[in-house]
Amino acid sequence: MMEKTLISLALLTSLNASANYDDIERIVVVAPMHSPLDIKTDPKLPRQPLPAQDGADLLTSIAGFSLIKKGSASSDPVFRGMAGSRLNIVSNGGLALGGCGNRMDPPTAYITPQSYDTLTVIKGPQTVLYGSGNSAATVVFERTLERLDKPRVDGFANIVFASANRSGLNTDIKAGSSEYYVRFSGSYNRADDFSDGDNNVIHSQYKRWNADSEFAYTPADDKIISITYGRSDGEAAYADRMMDGSLFDRTHTTIRTDWAINHNIITNVGAQWYYNNIDHVMDNYSLRPFVPNMMMKTPTASNPDRRTQGGKLLFDANLNEGHTVKFGVDHQQDRHRNRVSRNQFEIPYDTLPRSIDGEFEKTGVFAEYEYSVDKNQQVVTGLRLDHWQATDERQSISSMMKTMPNPSASLTRRDNLWSGFARIQQQRHDSSYFIGFGHTERFPDYWELLGGSRQGPDSLSAFHTNIEKTNQLDIGLVHQRTQWQGSVSVFYSQIDDYILTDNLFNQGSMNKKVTRNVDAQTYGFEADVSYDLTKNWISGASINYVRASNLSDHLPLAQQPPLQARFTLDYQRQNWHIGVLWRIVAAQHRVAVGQGNIAGQDFGESAGFGTLALNASYSQSDSLDWTLGVDNVLDKTYSEHLSKSGTAVSGYPQIDKINEAGITLWANVNWRF
């Protein structure tokens, strides 16, 4: 199997590399597969394009991921053409669900990558340990619970400077002894509006900070108890809507334990409880000049908040030689509230009472069983049952500039969902592979049922939307030789009752914004390869593709990324590295205008493009590395297919679609001690 330390498709070391060559901290261009099933990478490593400022940015270094962008910050990640709750985002064992009804603050907006130790992406519905509905993938940001072997201080500091006056400082310090440790991590990142290749200024400035603290008791190598508390906040300007985010206040607490026990069968118990509270404000005056319009004639502020809390109990058991089981139970509660001031300067939003519009609750039981046929072959299966409950607390619904009674007011719906998978996996001296089949059922999320004034096809309320059911076949292979290594993942899925958001659903003479169910089919692949041309020269390539169809409407399934390929060439000598990245994206003609998901809708075809980027790094010592980069070297004007359409922002040029930044210079310094 590929080593855990593999970090970059473009910069994987040859087997005969020197010690100095191996010690250089390499730039991540494409994070390779750790195994045929998952990808692991270090979030603290420098990356190209421009180093990540939130969780979504980090995911773009993994083949198969795209972003639905509305500026510089708070993009929505998409994997294999799937977005929203089809991607299960877990951070430090818990969930942080956003508050905005129009996805101004997706879960990844509250994740600072450099404060975590590992990022793991498990492709497809091939695990039941982290919840249900993960038809695309499960994304796990983790801080490792690891005992210190002696009294010491470990630390990490990162500084970033870039065009558009971007600057960032990230720190992570851990100090203690073999009995305990304390850990502090913090960050501050900011940037002004960027300009595209035609020097059009895009409304996109942002500021964000976070501070986390952790205390852990570690009486033994296999026994630990940890308590974490953190705060974060920020602001972000968006070019795709009439409001900006002026508050992203998050408070979170986590208690975790990982405790080995002496028992004939059960060998370890893991338990955790988490609490996340999001307090979010969006308005039309803080980050842009206020200009009255038909929709908002006065200074307006909306203040949703969301509290998510839950827990998990996980047991590890060895039934006998070759038979292991992980099983447990988890629970989650989720409450969403809102308050709105239509005349903020006369009646501030913080003087108004909050009203609950929705509550969700889920309890699940799960088990994963692994049978080792021999030392190189395993059969793995998993099964999960979830009981979901949701209550619609909205008493009225706004539609067509009118307010009408909510037909599902105070109603509670309950559903039992099951998920499961089975796979065979095998390892050899130079390769490993798996083939697996998975089934997962996804409960409609807040944005599909209640957010954004969504309606059903035949009702003012979308509260009775059916659950989504996915059956998927996944195949993965990793192969490694002395001079080259590569991987490929292939998938095919059938989705019954796919939850589609449709902004142009026609009923009579008027179009409505609805949530409705359709049947869908998707298939595609991700592949990467690297080849050591010489001891110093390394070439690499990656490619990913997905094709999806709406079988019910006989249309393409909306919001699908086009074919994308990356080619790299890198030169490494002693403690120097120089690299070139050429990214090619095909045109996308398969669109369904007005249809999409909770994060975006199709509004037209897109042209293909290619961009060139350069990077160079110098390892001054084992602990200090300097990196320079240039993105979009040719200063092209282009936009990603999934980027949002532009809206009129006073003082800025009117744009049809949000373009990417023009030529961008950046510098990154990493110090580990």
Side-chain angles (χ1 to χ4, degrees):
M1 297 179 65
M2 299 185 75
E3 296 177 354
K4 188 174 182 179
T5 54
L6 295 183
I7 58 171
S8 171
L9 169 66
L11 302 169
L12 293 174
T13 60
S14 68
L15 298 182
N16 297 321
S18 66
N20 288 337
Y21 182 84
D22 285 336
D23 290 340
I24 294 178
E25 189 165 83
R26 302 168 187 86
I27 300 173
V28 175
V29 176
V30 180
M33 294 184 69
H34 167 68
S35 76
L37 177 64
D38 60 36
I39 294 170
K40 288 183 183 290
T41 186
D42 183 351
K44 292 180 168 63
L45 292 173
R47 295 168 184 269
Q48 187 159 37
L50 185 64
Q53 55 87 19
D54 67 10
D57 273 0
L58 181 71
L59 293 173
T60 58
S61 64
I62 296 174
F65 273 95
S66 304
L67 296 182
I68 299 175
K69 303 191 74 173
K70 44 190 175 282
S72 292
S74 306
S75 302
D76 248 290
V78 178
F79 185 64
R80 292 177 169 177
M82 298 293 151
S85 55
R86 300 177 182 98
L87 269 174
N88 196 0
I89 308 291
V90 181
S91 57
N92 205 30
L95 299 176
L97 300 174
C100 177
N102 290 301
R103 296 290 285 192
M104 189 178 282
D105 61 333
T108 48
Y110 296 97
I111 294 174
T112 302
Q114 291 86 352
S115 67
Y116 293 88
D117 298 314
T118 61
L119 164 64
T120 303
V121 177
I122 305 170
K123 298 183 177 184
Q126 285 293 311
T127 181
V128 295
L129 300 180
Y130 299 96
S132 60
N134 53 317
S135 53
T138 299
V139 179
V140 184
F141 291 86
E142 286 185 299
R143 296 188 180 103
T144 57
L145 296 177
E146 186 176 19
R147 187 189 194 200
L148 295 175
D149 57 354
K150 60 183 179 180
R152 71 171 194 261
V153 177
D154 293 335
F156 166 82
N158 163 255
I159 299 175
V160 176
F161 294 102
S163 302
N165 289 324
R166 176 177 169 178
S167 59
L169 172 64
N170 303 279
T171 62
D172 188 3
I173 300 173
K174 181 178 178 180
S177 66
S178 60
E179 293 294 322
Y180 71 92
Y181 67 78
V182 291
R183 182 172 181 175
F184 300 96
S185 61
S187 70
Y188 177 80
N189 288 275
R190 66 165 308 280
D192 293 339
D193 298 330
F194 69 80
S195 299
D196 64 15
D198 290 332
N199 290 322
N200 294 313
V201 179
I202 308 298
H203 186 55
S204 57
Q205 60 181 290
Y206 66 86
K207 295 178 184 177
R208 61 194 312 265
W209 65 266
N210 83 284
D212 291 347
S213 60
E214 178 185 10
F215 176 80
Y217 171 58
T218 56
D221 289 341
D222 53 6
K223 293 180 173 66
I224 189 168
I225 299 175
S226 165
I227 301 175
T228 303
Y229 174 79
R231 293 291 309 276
S232 63
D233 197 1
E235 60 182 36
Y238 300 123
D240 72 317
R241 59 193 69 196
M242 293 183 289
M243 303 179 85
D244 302 307
S246 57
L247 184 74
F248 292 84
D249 186 7
R250 177 193 180 197
T251 302
H252 63 96
T253 302
T254 304
I255 301 175
R256 292 193 295 168
T257 182
D258 196 26
W259 207 266
I261 60 177
N262 295 319
H263 192 277
N264 292 335
I265 297 178
I266 298 177
T267 60
N268 196 83
V269 177
Q272 67 180 46
W273 172 84
Y274 66 89
Y275 170 89
N276 276 292
N277 189 76
I278 303 297
D279 191 7
H280 174 54
V281 175
M282 49 192 130
D283 63 52
N284 61 356
Y285 57 85
S286 292
L287 301 179
R288 66 178 71 189
F290 169 67
V291 177
N293 56 52
M294 290 295 295
M295 297 293 293
M296 297 181 182
K297 300 179 180 180
T298 57
T300 301
S302 177
N303 178 212
D305 75 337
R306 193 165 193 171
R307 183 192 66 200
T308 307
Q309 58 185 341
K312 181 177 180 179
L313 190 61
L314 176 66
F315 298 92
D316 290 10
N318 287 329
L319 303 181
N320 52 48
E321 186 176 357
H323 299 262
T324 60
V325 178
K326 292 179 179 289
F327 64 97
V329 59
D330 54 25
H331 180 76
Q332 175 189 322
Q333 293 177 315
D334 171 21
R335 182 206 65 194
H336 188 279
R337 303 186 300 179
N338 199 11
R339 56 185 176 186
V340 179
S341 172
R342 304 293 181 186
N343 191 351
Q344 170 63 16
F345 296 159
E346 298 294 331
I347 309 174
Y349 69 84
D350 52 5
T351 64
L352 302 174
R354 299 182 191 267
S355 60
I356 300 176
D357 58 2
E359 292 185 285
F360 293 77
E361 188 171 346
K362 181 207 72 171
T363 301
V365 293
F366 56 86
E368 284 194 6
Y369 165 73
E370 180 175 325
Y371 168 58
S372 297
V373 179
D374 54 46
K375 66 177 182 179
N376 295 320
Q377 187 179 61
Q378 304 85 35
V379 176
V380 186
T381 62
L383 187 64
R384 181 181 182 93
L385 176 65
D386 289 286
H387 176 73
W388 278 87
Q389 176 176 302
T391 302
D392 186 352
E393 300 286 3
R394 302 170 301 166
Q395 299 305 305
S396 61
I397 292 177
S398 297
S399 176
M400 307 300 294
M401 306 296 289
K402 298 179 180 179
T403 299
M404 291 171 281
N406 178 14
S408 58
S410 303
L411 289 183
T412 297
R413 60 176 288 184
R414 298 175 177 85
D415 290 280
N416 292 317
L417 284 65
W418 73 274
S419 304
F421 70 90
R423 70 173 179 267
I424 299 174
Q425 56 192 39
Q426 183 162 333
Q427 304 83 38
R428 295 182 178 177
H429 70 282
D430 58 358
S431 65
S432 58
Y433 64 87
F434 87 94
I435 179 170
F437 176 80
H439 171 87
T440 187
E441 298 181 351
R442 187 177 69 86
F443 193 83
D445 58 37
Y446 168 83
W447 297 272
E448 292 162 333
L449 291 184
L450 310 176
S453 300
R454 288 284 163 189
Q455 302 180 33
D458 303 309
S459 171
L460 280 175
S461 172
F463 190 65
H464 297 293
T465 301
N466 293 338
I467 61 173
E468 183 176 286
K469 299 168 283 291
T470 300
N471 296 297
Q472 182 162 310
L473 177 69
D474 280 278
I475 301 173
L477 169 69
V478 173
H479 190 74
Q480 182 173 347
R481 288 292 180 92
T482 301
Q483 286 187 283
W484 71 274
Q485 47 222 328
S487 66
V488 62
S489 297
V490 180
F491 71 95
Y492 173 83
S493 69
Q494 287 284 144
I495 309 173
D496 297 330
D497 287 327
Y498 177 90
I499 300 175
L500 181 76
T501 60
D502 191 342
N503 284 355
L504 298 178
F505 184 76
N506 187 276
Q507 190 177 48
S509 60
M510 302 296 292
N511 289 327
K512 300 195 305 180
K513 294 183 177 182
V514 307
T515 298
R516 61 188 179 95
N517 295 106
V518 299
D519 292 335
Q521 170 189 275
T522 71
Y523 58 87
F525 66 89
E526 304 92 39
D528 60 58
V529 63
S530 68
Y531 182 74
D532 297 348
L533 300 171
T534 67
K535 179 180 178 180
N536 302 109
W537 287 94
I538 305 172
S539 61
S542 74
I543 186 170
N544 56 272
Y545 174 73
V546 60
R547 184 182 178 92
S549 300
N550 176 343
L551 302 179
S552 298
D553 297 343
H554 306 290
L555 292 170
L557 191 64
Q559 288 290 278
Q560 299 300 307
L563 175 72
Q564 177 181 188
R566 304 184 198 189
F567 301 93
T568 60
L569 181 64
D570 297 271
Y571 177 76
Q572 189 94 37
R573 186 175 182 86
Q574 296 180 343
N575 52 355
W576 283 94
H577 159 262
I578 298 174
V580 180
L581 165 64
W582 182 30
R583 177 171 175 250
I584 302 175
V585 179
Q588 179 60 283
H589 302 298
R590 289 177 49 81
V591 297
V593 175
Q595 296 183 358
N597 51 49
I598 60 175
Q601 285 76 42
D602 282 357
F603 57 88
E605 299 180 5
S606 63
F609 61 86
T611 62
L612 189 68
L614 306 174
N615 62 70
S617 63
Y618 172 68
S619 183
Q620 183 172 331
S621 66
D622 291 341
S623 59
L624 184 61
D625 295 274
W626 305 77
T627 308
L628 298 174
V630 185
D631 296 341
N632 194 3
V633 173
L634 303 179
D635 202 21
K636 280 198 169 185
T637 301
Y638 71 99
S639 62
E640 304 285 352
H641 173 68
L642 297 181
S643 290
K644 305 292 285 292
S645 60
T647 191
V649 180
S650 179
Y652 293 82
Q654 175 65 57
I655 54 176
D656 295 328
K657 197 171 184 178
I658 298 174
N659 288 329
E660 296 299 299
I663 186 169
T664 301
L665 309 177
W666 57 268
N668 185 88
V669 181
N670 272 9
W671 179 37
R672 299 176 186 262
F673 57 89

